[in-house]
Amino acid sequence: MTDVILEKIGKTYPNGYHAIPSVDLSIEEGEFIVLVGPSGCGKSTLLRMVAGLESISDGELRIRGERMNEKEPAERDIAMVFQNYALYPHMTVYNNMAYGLKNRKVSKEVIEKKVTDVAEMLGLTDLLQRKPGQLSGGQRQRVAMGRAMVRDPKVFLFDEPLSNLDAKLRVQMRVEIRQLQRKLGTTTLYVTHDQVEAMTLADRLVVLNKGNAEQIGTPMDLYNKPATPFVASFIGSPSMNLLPANLVEQGIKISNSLTLPLPHDYRGGVVWGIRPEHLEVSDEQNADFALRIQAVESLGAETLIHGLLEEESKKGIPMVVRLSGPHLPELNSLMWLTAPVKHWHLFDEITQQRL
Amino acid sequence: MIENRPWLTFVSHATLLLGIALVALPVWMALVASTHPASAFGVGHIPLWFGDSGVDTWKTVLLEKAGNGIDTPVFFMMLNSLIMALGITFGKIAISLLSAYAIVFFRFPFRDLCFWIIFMTLMLPVEVRIVPTYEVVANLDLLNSYTGLTLPLIASATATFLFRQCFLSIPGELVEAARIDGAGPFRFFFDILLPLSRTNIAALFVILFIYGWNQYLWPLLITTDDAYYTLVMSIKRMLSVTDGDIAWNQIMATTLLAMLPPVAVVIGMQKLFVKGLVDSEK
Amino acid sequence: MTVTFPQKGLPWLLLLPQLLVTAIFFLWPAEQALEQAFYQEDAFGLSREFVGFENFIDLFTDPLYYQSMLTTLFFSFSVAILGISVALLLAVMADRVIRGKLAYQTLLIWPYAVAPALAGVLWWILFDPSMGPIALWLNSAGVDWNHYLNGNQAMILVVIASTWKQISYNFLFFLAGLQAVPRSLIEAASIDGASPFKRFWTIVFPLLSPTTFFLLVVNLVYAFFETFGVIDATTKGGPGQSTNTLVYKVFEDGFVGLDLGGSAAQSVVLMGIVGLMTVIQFRFIERKVQYS
């Protein structure tokens, strides 16, 4: 059953700035959707429009079939977890979690049962009488989630909830959020700028760029078949190698000296891409091209090699190669590589669409 | 201190003690004077050590009548002062809280204009426009009334600014969280905003109480009826008795009693007082 | 902040009390003063006549008004400079001592709570020519003290009474300023071999200059407008005109002299001065905010 529908949702600010031209998205019940994109892409604005904290300029938002555009945030039956947690500093953990229920005139007994249940689920039972100022970052994060959970809302909204935590805690909370969401089965909309967080959490991802949804799909869709160069470079770490090129009769022409063989009837400018992990080391005879090694990052399980394309015109284009296991090539030496055709990504240079 | 210079430490303590003595001198003299009978004055000196009629004088002044032409006792005028001081304090805090709330948490036309109108009250202290203000209050038939004593003084740009600063420092996400939790403007004001502004309100309370208690010119002008005399202004009326008839012991006792409540507030709530003083000048 | 409530009528309701009080007791009288300043009224308030700028012309051709201006300036700067100097000395000493800091603070700040009129009365008694101990002591030391007759002595008296009350305020701000001076600077200077006095004048005092300037403005405003009670309870502007400040003159000409037009014209001039001082104060605060 479709739970949340965004139909041609747009946002124009009073000063005329067109933050979001038009976004279409329909979310199934229980689905975990992640809105991801660089800062300023409009992902938080979109989330806040769903929450009712920003007005919707164009289009329609429906939750369980009901139009929400004009409803107050409190009437939309959503709950939100904020980046800075936004806990009420003068209230105990218990009262923080109970406040929304009290305002909805839920009876005392029900509130108490709900709060204690959720507190137990999150391991907050011993902290219920503390105030937010006495809690660690991770504990505050849990309270913020607990406050959302006791309400038992139709939709959870998360606005970069992990960005104030340290790296280790972030990974731990990421796993926990995913487990909780599966257990509760609540439809979730989650905003982040971190593509790893996005990939690991999402059932489906929405990649936003300048207010446009560049691509909507499962993490693997986006990884295997990015719709645009933007998505290709945004998803995956390190980023995909992208080079401007021309399709010619013999194949794909990257520079004067470098043409990769591929018969194709298309002629014109393209963007050619290959992921660092799909480049393969070979010998000089069989290689597609050579790379002059500039820097080596050894991570133990894998090695990242940064280099410049070696070609006669001397115009080096940077490329990254990702090899598994430890490697220690010499700096400034040449590395011979092949780029298997099945891993190529080709995009039209003008329309930016995948070919 | 970084280095140990005993003589410097000694000089510091000595200077401070001297300062304290100078600051306390007039009060000490007043205290001594209030313990002597009225006849001890005007013979070429004020006594320098305590006399023995202190208890009588203080009792008379406090409970029977202040003397020097004023027949009401000090405790009665204290009550008036208290009513005026509390009226001004609560009035200022209440209307400033409300207007700061409107200015920070709502968007409406002429918002900036309203802010500037409130700001202008800073430029118009009552002393400067005393004659027309008196006329306005007289026209409204508020002379000799508690309303007349308090209402004209409760508009306050300073308190509004202070609360505005305080509200602006509350993170926006907290407001959003409250809205999602179903709190409308009223619930938000009482459940979140007021508890978060508690210390600011308390600090301002101390400052405003002193301001209200110490009002002088305004009650002097608009009260001609003994029943509304406040303690601070009564001194002026007591002093206007012909020179030879002034009972200095009673004036001194009244003066000390008039100082006592605000001084007690400053000393008893020193921390809040300092905070209020520093905040309200920011 | 961008987060607001959507209600449109409610903010007006919330602002209403403040706006009403401001309009009735601030703007209306100010407007009355402005209007009054262009009229001449007879002493019984029976008739009045439009006189244009005559009240202002009278004011600015009246030698007494200039004298009052000079008196005000002399009085205000004396209060400000004396109060700031004494408070700075005490604050520096209090910042130095380790033991009893809070006790010293308590014993020095309470005069803030004393009403100006009461401060005036207390000092008046001490200096009373016939029975005040200080006056008697001065007499025996060869100074003929009588502030009822001697205008300069009356001025000294009101300056002392006004300063006495304000020291506590200056003291608190200086103490806060001193505590904000980074310890590392003092330590660096003492490693560079600067003596305590040299450290104060070359490091601490320059760092306190924003506080000092702020206090100068605040003290001038205080001496201008809030010392009414001191003067009214003691000298009543006399003897002669020797302590008749601008603010006292507005009151005296209006309520005692019943020259309503002249008093209103003075009100208008004073409002201009307050406006100017408020702007200066705000300019300064803006700068302070930028630095912090």
Side-chain angles (χ1 to χ4, degrees):
Chain A
M1 180 186 156
T2 313
D3 210 28
V4 181
I5 294 175
L6 284 71
E7 201 177 277
K8 295 195 175 57
I9 293 279
K11 177 77 188 175
T12 314
Y13 282 102
N15 62 14
Y17 174 59
H18 229 42
I20 294 173
S22 175
V23 170
D24 279 301
L25 176 66
S26 58
I27 304 171
E28 298 297 311
E29 192 176 346
E31 209 177 6
F32 199 120
I33 297 283
V34 175
L35 301 173
V36 65
S39 60
C41 70
K43 55 190 189 299
S44 281
T45 309
L46 198 58
L47 186 81
R48 292 162 55 82
M49 282 179 0
V50 175
L53 298 169
E54 297 265 4
S55 61
I56 297 169
S57 318
D58 304 295
E60 191 175 68
L61 168 73
R62 288 194 295 273
I63 297 179
R64 304 247 166 113
E66 199 185 341
R67 180 181 159 94
M68 286 290 155
N69 292 37
E70 290 78 23
K71 294 244 160 130
E72 276 286 296
E75 298 164 352
R76 297 188 182 196
D77 204 3
I78 45 118
M80 186 152 167
V81 177
F82 294 87
Q83 182 173 355
N84 301 320
Y85 319 135
L87 301 177
Y88 310 118
H90 59 293
M91 294 184 192
T92 59
V93 169
Y94 182 93
N95 284 328
N96 260 287
M97 303 212 300
Y99 187 62
L101 295 174
K102 277 183 194 161
N103 286 341
R104 284 177 173 71
K105 310 235 160 28
V106 177
S107 77
K108 263 211 167 85
E109 297 74 40
V110 178
I111 293 179
E112 195 174 340
K113 178 158 188 340
K114 284 195 169 183
V115 172
T116 35
D117 285 355
V118 169
E120 199 168 324
M121 209 189 299
L122 291 168
L124 292 170
T125 310
D126 297 336
L127 306 174
L128 282 176
Q129 293 316 313
R130 301 240 189 122
K131 293 211 174 148
Q134 300 163 298
L135 303 178
S136 69
Q139 288 168 336
R140 281 181 217 183
Q141 172 64 56
R142 269 168 222 265
V143 177
M145 280 170 47
R147 180 169 69 179
M149 282 161 58
V150 287
R151 290 256 319 280
D152 203 4
K154 292 199 193 95
V155 186
F156 278 142
L157 304 173
F158 289 88
D159 190 2
E160 309 227 13
L162 302 181
S163 56
N164 281 0
L165 298 177
D166 63 52
K168 202 176 157 196
L169 206 51
R170 206 178 309 161
V171 174
Q172 188 192 326
M173 287 305 292
R174 196 166 80 198
V175 176
E176 216 168 299
I177 287 179
R178 184 71 247 226
Q179 283 172 344
L180 277 170
Q181 194 269 344
R182 286 241 167 80
K183 194 158 141 195
L184 299 169
T186 310
T187 310
T188 300
L189 207 52
Y190 187 106
V191 160
T192 180
H193 64 269
D194 179 345
Q195 59 98 11
V196 177
E197 211 171 287
M199 295 284 278
T200 48
L201 282 172
D203 290 327
R204 279 193 301 152
L205 283 160
V206 180
V207 181
L208 283 165
N209 182 25
K210 292 177 188 141
N212 289 305
E214 295 255 334
Q215 189 172 4
I216 301 175
T218 65
M220 279 309 114
D221 280 348
L222 268 62
Y223 178 82
N224 292 327
K225 288 200 169 81
T228 64
F230 178 83
V231 177
S233 66
F234 196 81
I235 300 294
S237 174
S239 293
M240 185 187 284
N241 297 301
L242 290 168
L243 310 179
N246 278 308
L247 281 180
V248 291
E249 258 173 89
Q250 299 87 352
I252 175 163
K253 188 174 175 182
I254 289 169
S255 69
N256 285 337
S257 58
L258 184 58
T259 302
L260 299 176
L262 179 78
H264 207 291
D265 56 355
Y266 181 84
R267 302 282 158 86
V270 294
V271 175
W272 173 80
I274 188 156
R275 292 197 182 276
E277 52 270 41
H278 295 147
L279 287 165
E280 287 167 10
V281 182
S282 71
D283 51 35
E284 196 170 345
Q285 281 78 27
N286 299 321
D288 289 332
F289 51 82
L291 204 63
R292 179 74 69 187
I293 296 172
Q294 298 291 313
V296 177
E297 292 178 297
S298 301
L299 303 172
E302 59 184 43
T303 306
L304 301 179
I305 295 164
H306 300 257
L308 299 177
L309 267 186
E310 185 76 1
E311 42 160 338
E312 275 163 24
S313 60
K314 285 183 183 169
K315 199 179 133 229
I317 295 172
M319 267 202 153
V320 185
V321 185
R322 179 185 194 167
L323 304 172
S324 63
H327 295 263
L328 272 177
E330 232 169 276
L331 287 185
N332 273 323
S333 64
L334 282 181
M335 184 179 208
W336 302 99
L337 296 167
T338 53
V341 175
K342 61 173 176 173
H343 290 308
W344 287 16
H345 302 271
L346 289 174
F347 306 96
D348 187 314
E349 198 173 24
I350 293 155
T351 63
Q352 297 278 306
Q353 293 306 306
R354 186 180 183 86
L355 294 174
Chain B
M1 266 292 134
I2 306 154
E3 69 268 89
N4 195 16
R5 301 195 191 205
W7 64 271
L8 212 54
T9 308
F10 173 76
V11 168
S12 303
H13 283 282
T15 312
L16 286 167
L17 289 172
L18 188 70
I20 288 169
L22 271 176
V23 161
L25 179 69
V27 175
W28 170 259
M29 291 308 303
L31 195 61
V32 168
S34 72
T35 61
H36 288 272
S39 56
F41 299 86
V43 291
H45 71 288
I46 278 189
L48 289 177
W49 193 247
F50 294 106
D52 47 15
S53 63
V55 178
D56 282 347
T57 307
W58 281 68
K59 232 183 183 168
T60 316
V61 165
L62 188 60
L63 301 174
E64 286 163 36
K65 61 178 193 168
N68 296 291
I70 293 189
D71 297 331
T72 28
V74 164
F75 88 84
F76 187 78
M77 293 189 285
M78 257 183 176
L79 223 58
N80 282 341
S81 285
L82 191 70
I83 291 170
M84 177 175 73
L86 291 179
I88 291 174
T89 307
F90 283 118
K92 268 183 192 274
I93 288 178
I95 70 172
S96 302
L97 270 174
L98 293 181
S99 44
Y101 184 45
I103 285 170
V104 174
F105 290 102
F106 294 86
R107 291 289 166 275
F108 53 94
F110 307 116
R111 193 172 65 106
D112 289 343
L113 181 71
C114 292
F115 189 62
W116 279 101
I117 289 175
I118 295 169
F119 178 77
M120 271 166 65
T121 61
L122 263 188
M123 303 193 189
L124 301 167
V126 76
E127 284 80 3
V128 169
R129 52 187 170 83
I130 190 72
V131 180
T133 311
Y134 174 83
E135 280 172 358
V136 164
V137 172
N139 284 338
L140 294 175
D141 205 13
L142 292 175
L143 300 181
N144 285 319
S145 73
Y146 290 122
T147 318
L149 276 173
T150 52
L151 199 58
L153 298 177
I154 68 170
S156 171
T158 320
T160 310
F161 282 141
L162 182 70
F163 287 130
R164 178 174 164 266
Q165 284 312 106
C166 165
F167 292 170
L168 282 175
S169 70
I170 290 175
E173 292 189 335
L174 212 57
V175 187
E176 297 182 335
R179 279 185 71 185
I180 289 176
D181 270 342
F186 284 96
R187 266 182 202 282
F188 178 72
F189 184 76
F190 287 107
D191 289 352
I192 315 279
L193 211 51
L194 276 191
L196 287 180
S197 318
R198 247 184 350 221
T199 29
N200 283 289
I201 293 174
L204 203 60
F205 183 93
V206 174
I207 299 294
L208 293 178
F209 179 80
I210 296 167
Y211 166 88
W213 183 275
N214 287 346
Q215 281 304 312
Y216 171 74
L217 175 58
W218 187 246
L220 194 62
L221 282 182
I222 73 154
T223 62
T224 46
D225 177 352
D226 287 21
Y228 294 99
Y229 277 12
T230 64
L231 198 46
V232 171
M233 58 140 294
S234 74
I235 296 293
K236 159 92 173 180
R237 299 239 190 267
M238 291 171 79
L239 284 172
S240 38
V241 178
T242 356
D243 214 19
D245 303 333
I246 292 185
W248 284 110
N249 54 342
Q250 293 176 344
I251 290 196
M252 290 293 99
T254 309
T255 306
L256 291 174
L257 282 167
M259 293 166 43
L260 199 62
V263 169
V265 166
V266 164
I267 292 176
M269 297 187 230
Q270 199 176 151
K271 244 187 171 159
L272 282 175
F273 163 69
V274 173
K275 180 181 159 54
L277 207 58
V278 174
D279 283 355
S280 55
E281 290 296 348
K282 257 193 230 155
Chain C
M1 160 142 41
T2 54
V3 187
T4 53
F5 288 103
Q7 283 81 352
K8 291 290 166 222
L10 186 62
W12 288 106
L13 211 64
L14 296 169
L15 271 172
L16 196 65
Q18 176 97 297
L19 289 180
L20 269 181
V21 173
T22 307
I24 296 174
F25 297 108
F26 285 75
L27 301 182
W28 185 16
E31 184 273 324
Q32 294 267 301
L34 203 60
E35 192 187 319
Q36 191 84 265
F38 293 95
Y39 284 87
Q40 199 116 58
E41 200 164 326
D42 70 86
F44 305 102
L46 296 175
S47 68
R48 70 178 200 171
E49 171 190 5
F50 183 76
V51 292
F53 282 97
E54 202 178 299
N55 286 325
F56 290 96
I57 294 167
D58 283 353
L59 198 60
F60 286 108
T61 52
D62 181 2
L64 282 181
Y65 195 62
Y66 287 102
Q67 198 193 326
S68 172
M69 257 185 203
L70 284 178
T71 305
T72 309
L73 283 179
F74 178 79
F75 170 71
S76 304
F77 275 96
S78 304
V79 169
I81 290 168
L82 187 64
I84 286 176
S85 318
V86 175
L88 181 59
L89 177 73
L90 290 172
V92 169
M93 295 304 161
D95 188 45
R96 278 194 61 84
V97 305
I98 297 147
R99 239 174 271 180
K101 198 178 265 184
L102 193 69
Y104 283 130
Q105 178 179 309
T106 310
L107 290 170
L108 282 169
I109 63 170
W110 60 267
Y112 177 87
V114 178
L118 302 181
V121 171
L122 288 174
W123 285 96
W124 202 34
I125 311 291
L126 279 177
F127 276 93
D128 190 275
S130 63
M131 58 183 187
I134 295 183
L136 294 176
W137 175 76
L138 282 171
N139 275 331
S140 66
V143 182
D144 187 15
W145 182 274
N146 190 340
H147 56 243
Y148 291 105
L149 302 173
N150 186 323
N152 292 336
Q153 291 177 353
M155 175 58 89
I156 293 174
L157 180 63
V158 288
V159 167
I160 290 177
S162 308
T163 308
W164 174 75
K165 186 184 139 49
Q166 193 65 1
I167 286 176
S168 50
Y169 183 92
N170 301 341
F171 172 81
L172 275 177
F173 275 84
F174 273 131
L175 198 60
L178 284 166
Q179 278 159 0
V181 173
R183 302 287 308 160
S184 56
L185 277 183
I186 312 247
E187 283 161 6
S190 83
I191 288 167
D192 283 340
S195 69
F197 292 101
K198 190 142 195 196
R199 283 205 302 263
F200 178 77
W201 289 114
T202 56
I203 314 274
V204 179
F205 189 67
L207 285 173
L208 280 181
S209 61
T211 312
T212 312
F213 181 69
F214 162 79
L215 285 175
L216 183 67
V217 176
V218 171
N219 278 276
L220 288 178
V221 172
Y222 159 78
F224 247 72
F225 301 108
E226 288 164 45
T227 51
F228 179 92
V230 177
I231 292 170
D232 189 50
T234 59
T235 65
K236 297 192 183 63
Q241 296 284 319
S242 58
T243 54
N244 203 357
T245 61
L246 289 173
V247 171
Y248 195 73
K249 202 168 154 52
V250 171
F251 164 78
E252 212 197 11
D253 289 358
F255 277 99
V256 185
L258 293 178
D259 172 14
L260 295 182
S263 171
Q266 292 180 38
S267 283
V268 172
V269 173
L270 275 181
M271 284 186 231
I273 296 177
V274 189
L276 198 71
M277 289 186 114
T278 316
V279 171
I280 293 175
Q281 213 169 333
F282 259 72
R283 270 287 154 82
F284 172 69
I285 288 165
E286 262 169 41
R287 251 184 40 207
K288 197 168 77 171
V289 168
Q290 275 172 13
Y291 283 127
S292 62

